Amino acid sequence: MRKRNTILFALISLMCPLTFNQCSSSLNTNGISTLSSSSENPSAISPSRGSAIKCTTPNVGASFPRRAWRLTGSQYINSVKSAFASVQSVTNPFRVEAVTGAFRNNSDGLNIGLQLTADLIAENEKIGAAAVSGLVTAYPCLASTINLTCSNSVVSSVVSSLFRRPITATELSTYSQFLMSEASLYGNTDGISAFVQASLLSPNFLFRYEIGDRLTGILDPYEKAALISFSAADSAPDAELMDAAKNGALKTTAQIKSHFIRLAKKSNRYETLIDFLQQYLHYSAITTKTKDPALFPNFNVNVAKALVAETDALVIDMMRSGTGTISELLSTDNVMVQPLTASIYAKNASSLPAGTMTKIKDSSRAGILTQPSFLASHGGTKNSSPVQIGKLIRTEILCGKLGRPPVDPPTLDAIPETSFPTQRERLTALHSKGTCYGCHRLMDPIGLGFENFDAVGAIRTTENGYPIDDSGEITYTNSALDGAFNGGAELGRRLASSEVVQSCIMKKSFQFIAGQVGDTGSDCFIEQVRKANNNTTDKADIVGVFADIFTEFLLAPRFGTLEN
């Protein structure tokens, strides 16, 4: 009976978000879901020398949509752990989240349906049970008969923390009465658990509401605090940030930027930055890939996980060292090596003690695009994949656009290795003419410059007995990037000094921070931020770049005032 009562209460709490398009996307002032987004005139934006973006007629009057933005799995987990000291084992109730666009946190792709509701209820039952001991320790009055004073104290603290704002008098009364009623009917342990479950199933916890003032559209301080914290640390605001919201101290550039950087660096693990890079460059995908055991007998899932951990460790090391610039990310010749993966690197580190991770120099590599995790994630089971690597660099590093591929494109399997023994020859035969040529001339020459790496990211000098040709070329960027290069390391160093690349990475960072997909109509804004910070962003670490973009985003009239 108690569980049924709890579930009914929780489902009633969920009815609100489920009524508007299953809680996805944007909201107008009446709370009705919309799919519209502000956009500038597409003809006003085109590639230009020195930048991936050219803005000639910014639409300064456009604004950002009001949103109900469901928490991602990691945000849910982090928020629960921060709210309940005795709960440290939480499973993502949203399971494998679909990626709408480049990133999982796209606000228009985060929905709730019947299956997710059932999964939430099941997970919250476990959390409710685990949270009891910690709450009783924090609030000793919960150990005896729970009266109104005790209940109000617990609710005003716990629910306010979960909702990321002060609760209303009605909410205080409703949750207090519920806690006392459940404890009276079913005992304190089950009653406290039921209270926790109901709080976690409220849309006020599950969704980040960015509504703003009904008339002006200006975000209130607590909406700002949530946006800062989830963008910087992928979790709910901490006490310091909540105090700043309460005291009206989230108004200036310095105030917002300082909290963003503080939260992003708080754990010294840079989890949000790592999450961005893993999603952006897809280098963690190697953990789900397989390689031909005949060609790579030592490759397995443990090696794959180790490669991802090495890339993460390299980024964290750069950040902790006080560097971590976009330029360094793309050009460093440092690598992190473990005994398990040593044979993949040009400099064998097999003498390392077991369980260690050591930073060494490897001149054959330059930056994250030559990390084995990245190369192996985008390689095939037997060979490298110049098309996949070239496509990612063209679209995600250079912000270029490609047409849709044909429905049933030809594959390399159709090209006999007996006549065309190298991938370069087979790709040339396959893509040098016909409908494939238009896009592949933009991708293949870039990817072929990485042919000095095999399918697991190790250096190779031959393919089928023939010397490797790792010459590549960048074309059609209308910038200093255009031209021939040899090997991924040379390309990494060239990309590192390019303003085209810097502006593109800033654009992708903005999409991640803002929870938007594709071209958000924000190109002019991003270019203005880049130019305004042009003398510092090439020297600032990546978190600093994030902070610059985020602060300008939050304070700009276009985004700080939501559309009516």
Side-chain angles (χ1 to χ4, degrees):
M1 183 67 181
R2 182 197 63 76
K3 284 189 175 182
R4 183 183 179 190
N5 188 23
T6 302
I7 292 172
L8 287 175
F9 180 93
L11 288 175
I12 290 171
S13 297
L14 280 173
M15 284 180 64
C16 170
L18 286 172
T19 56
F20 50 83
N21 198 30
Q22 294 195 336
C23 258
S24 71
S25 54
S26 313
L27 304 176
N28 64 21
T29 52
N30 297 315
I32 300 173
S33 175
T34 68
L35 296 178
S36 63
S37 61
S38 307
S39 62
E40 285 119 0
N41 180 0
S43 65
I45 302 168
S46 58
S48 68
R49 198 166 188 82
S51 172
I53 304 167
K54 182 177 180 180
C55 177
T56 56
T57 56
N59 187 349
V60 295
S63 57
F64 219 58
R66 300 174 192 253
R67 296 185 288 185
W69 193 355
R70 199 209 76 203
L71 300 185
T72 64
S74 60
Q75 290 167 354
Y76 171 93
I77 291 169
N78 292 337
S79 296
V80 168
K81 288 182 177 181
S82 67
F84 303 106
S86 59
V87 180
Q88 292 305 310
S89 178
V90 185
T91 302
N92 178 5
F94 308 124
R95 295 176 295 172
V96 179
E97 294 171 300
V99 179
T100 307
F103 305 108
R104 288 190 297 270
N105 69 341
N106 170 39
S107 59
D108 285 340
L110 295 170
N111 305 313
I112 277 191
L114 293 178
Q115 182 59 54
L116 287 186
T117 301
D119 292 340
L120 274 170
I121 291 171
E123 182 61 27
N124 288 345
E125 284 184 349
K126 293 188 293 183
I127 294 169
V132 173
S133 61
L135 289 175
V136 172
T137 300
Y139 306 93
C141 64
L142 292 175
S144 56
T145 302
I146 302 175
N147 58 30
L148 185 60
T149 300
C150 175
S151 182
N152 281 347
S153 174
V154 174
V155 169
S156 61
S157 177
V158 173
V159 178
S160 179
S161 174
L162 291 173
F163 289 5
R164 304 174 288 274
R165 58 167 173 76
I167 59 175
T168 66
T170 300
E171 289 168 336
L172 177 60
S173 175
T174 300
Y175 281 90
S176 287
Q177 293 298 326
F178 180 72
L179 172 55
M180 289 189 295
S181 173
E182 292 292 290
S184 175
L185 288 170
Y186 306 108
N188 285 22
T189 297
D190 283 352
I192 296 168
S193 176
F195 157 70
V196 170
Q197 294 175 55
S199 302
L200 292 176
L201 283 168
S202 168
N204 292 294
F205 168 70
L206 289 171
F207 289 83
R208 300 160 54 184
Y209 288 100
E210 293 170 7
I211 305 298
D213 182 89
R214 290 289 178 177
L215 295 178
T216 66
I218 297 174
L219 292 174
D220 73 34
Y222 297 101
E223 289 175 321
K224 281 185 180 180
L227 187 55
I228 292 169
S229 187
F230 282 116
S231 297
D234 219 27
S235 188
D238 62 7
E240 187 175 339
L241 186 55
M242 290 293 280
D243 284 343
K246 179 181 178 180
N247 297 324
L250 295 176
K251 296 179 180 179
T252 68
T253 297
Q255 290 170 338
I256 293 170
K257 187 173 180 178
S258 66
H259 279 291
F260 186 99
I261 292 176
R262 176 182 67 81
L263 290 168
K265 296 184 176 183
K266 187 174 181 179
S267 67
N268 212 25
R269 293 168 62 188
Y270 299 93
E271 291 170 326
T272 302
L273 174 60
I274 294 297
D275 186 39
F276 164 72
L277 291 173
Q278 285 191 5
Q279 292 188 59
Y280 177 36
L281 300 175
H282 310 291
Y283 65 82
S284 60
I286 184 56
T287 58
T288 63
K289 299 289 182 69
T290 58
K291 303 296 178 179
D292 189 330
L295 297 174
F296 308 104
N298 296 323
F299 187 85
N300 54 50
V301 67
N302 291 327
V303 172
K305 290 178 179 179
L307 292 177
V308 175
E310 288 170 356
T311 302
D312 292 346
L314 181 64
V315 174
I316 292 170
D317 178 75
M318 287 190 292
M319 300 304 299
R320 289 176 179 172
S321 300
T323 51
T325 62
I326 291 175
S327 177
E328 185 180 18
L329 180 74
L330 293 168
S331 64
T332 182
D333 61 355
N334 288 325
V335 294
M336 292 291 188
V337 184
Q338 304 167 76
L340 187 63
T341 63
S343 61
I344 293 177
Y345 292 87
K347 293 185 176 181
N348 194 310
S350 57
S351 61
L352 289 173
T356 64
M357 187 182 293
T358 302
K359 181 167 66 175
I360 64 173
K361 296 284 186 180
D362 186 344
S363 59
S364 62
R365 302 179 192 272
I368 199 167
L369 299 182
T370 57
Q371 284 277 293
S373 62
F374 174 83
L375 297 165
S377 290
H378 297 283
T381 57
K382 296 183 178 182
N383 221 324
S384 61
S385 181
V387 174
Q388 292 301 317
I389 292 174
K391 178 183 178 182
L392 184 140
I393 293 175
R394 173 63 70 175
T395 58
E396 303 301 320
I397 304 296
L398 303 177
C399 284
K401 294 184 178 180
L402 299 170
R404 292 182 178 180
V407 176
D408 189 20
T411 66
L412 281 180
D413 295 337
I415 308 298
E417 286 191 16
T418 52
S419 302
F420 303 92
T422 68
Q423 276 206 113
R424 182 179 292 271
E425 292 174 313
R426 293 193 294 278
L427 284 173
T428 300
L430 191 66
H431 297 149
S432 60
K433 58 184 178 180
T435 57
C436 297
Y437 173 69
C439 289
H440 281 276
R441 63 175 179 160
L442 303 175
M443 301 185 293
D444 294 8
I446 298 174
L448 286 167
F450 288 79
E451 282 295 87
N452 56 321
F453 299 104
D454 65 17
V456 297
I459 290 289
R460 64 176 182 172
T461 57
T462 63
E463 180 187 359
N464 288 333
Y466 290 83
I468 285 293
D469 177 0
D470 63 358
S471 60
E473 186 178 13
I474 296 180
T475 56
Y476 303 105
T477 69
N478 192 29
S479 74
L481 273 176
D482 286 348
F485 66 90
N486 286 98
E490 182 180 331
L491 177 61
R493 289 187 286 269
R494 184 185 299 182
L495 295 173
S497 61
S498 169
E499 288 189 29
V500 172
V501 173
Q502 184 189 88
S503 66
C504 181
I505 291 178
M506 288 183 72
K507 177 177 180 177
K508 299 300 180 179
S509 301
F510 176 83
Q511 291 175 2
F512 178 76
I513 289 169
Q516 292 293 283
V517 60
D519 291 326
T520 62
S522 307
D523 284 347
C524 289
F525 164 76
I526 298 163
E527 181 65 358
Q528 288 164 358
V529 173
R530 190 186 72 84
K531 288 180 177 178
N533 294 279
N534 193 44
N535 61 334
T536 58
T537 50
D538 60 337
K539 299 176 183 177
D541 65 36
I542 303 169
V543 169
V545 173
F546 269 44
D548 282 336
I549 297 171
F550 178 83
T551 304
E552 296 287 347
F553 158 61
L554 194 54
L555 292 179
R558 176 175 175 187
F559 305 110
T561 304
L562 303 177
E563 67 185 16
N564 289 314

